[in-house]
Amino acid sequence: MENKAEKKGSSKIKIIAIGILILAVVAGGAFFGYNNFIKDKKNTAKNAVQQVNTQQVNTQQVVNNGQTAGTVANSLDQVVSSQTFQLDEVTVNLADEGGNRYLKVAVYLGFNDKKLTAELTAKKPIVTDAVIEILRTKKAADISAKNMNNIKLEIIQKINPMLEKGQLNNVYFTDIIIQ
């Protein structure tokens, strides 16, 4: 009789041990799945914004080396700003030989944070100067449809370090005249 009771107690312990083992395996699998699959999907939007900002920084290095920014510059086509800030119309001499050519543009800065409007208003002369500084280095051949995104990225990268209440995410040109 004692032998049967021992076997019942022993089998209960085995069942409990197997149950704990199964529970540990399921918990480990759930942890692994969360870290590798679900967690990544939750951060997709945040990572996309960080990726654009990282690409902009990397593009600055590429542009400074005289190479084309390519696909990073094309990412600006996909960014639509919820707010814009109009700069005064800008007229600059281009860097062509002889200095006979000039560029006239109307520039809007794109961003998403409403707080940035007041800061841009206060820093309008500084921001306009930064845009002029960039555009003065361009030749007439640089002002083409395929190079405009690179110019936009240069402007964003020049102005963003000056801003404290937000960041630009796009630049819009509404008028471009080359004479």
Side-chain angles (χ1 to χ4, degrees):
M1 200 137 168
E2 284 181 31
N3 202 6
K4 287 184 181 181
E6 261 183 49
K7 286 183 181 180
K8 285 185 180 181
S10 176
S11 65
K12 286 182 182 181
I13 291 174
K14 287 181 184 178
I15 292 174
I16 291 173
I18 291 172
I20 290 173
L21 183 63
I22 291 173
L23 184 63
V25 169
V26 170
F31 178 77
F32 176 78
Y34 174 78
N35 281 335
N36 290 328
F37 303 110
I38 297 173
K39 188 176 180 182
D40 290 340
K41 290 179 182 178
K42 285 184 177 180
N43 293 326
T44 302
K46 184 177 179 181
N47 289 341
V49 171
Q50 289 174 346
Q51 183 181 4
V52 169
N53 290 337
T54 302
Q55 287 173 342
Q56 289 173 349
V57 170
N58 292 340
T59 301
Q60 182 178 12
Q61 294 167 350
V62 171
V63 169
N64 288 340
N65 292 333
Q67 301 171 354
T68 305
T71 58
V72 176
N74 291 336
S75 67
L76 277 180
D77 292 336
Q78 299 170 0
V79 176
V80 178
S81 306
S82 63
Q83 305 285 317
T84 58
F85 181 81
Q86 181 179 7
L87 295 178
D88 296 330
E89 200 168 70
V90 175
T91 304
V92 296
N93 289 332
L94 293 171
D96 289 319
E97 290 182 29
N100 297 337
R101 309 223 40 201
Y102 70 90
L103 170 70
K104 184 177 180 181
V105 295
V107 181
Y108 287 82
L109 305 175
F111 54 95
N112 290 329
D113 194 351
K114 290 182 181 183
K115 297 177 188 175
L116 194 55
T117 304
E119 184 177 6
L120 286 171
T121 302
K123 294 182 177 180
K124 189 173 184 177
I126 298 167
V127 172
T128 302
D129 181 63
V131 172
I132 290 170
E133 186 178 321
I134 290 168
L135 294 177
R136 262 193 306 197
T137 64
K138 304 301 174 199
K139 295 182 178 182
D142 296 334
I143 313 298
S144 67
K146 69 178 185 176
N147 288 332
M148 289 311 290
N149 280 341
N150 293 334
I151 294 169
K152 290 177 180 184
L153 280 172
E154 282 185 70
I155 292 170
I156 290 169
Q157 292 161 356
K158 179 79 172 182
I159 295 172
N160 274 347
M162 300 176 193
L163 303 175
E164 298 168 1
K165 296 182 180 177
Q167 298 287 294
L168 301 180
N169 61 11
N170 211 335
V171 175
Y172 303 98
F173 295 108
T174 57
D175 264 338
I176 301 175
I177 300 173
I178 300 174
Q179 183 68 31

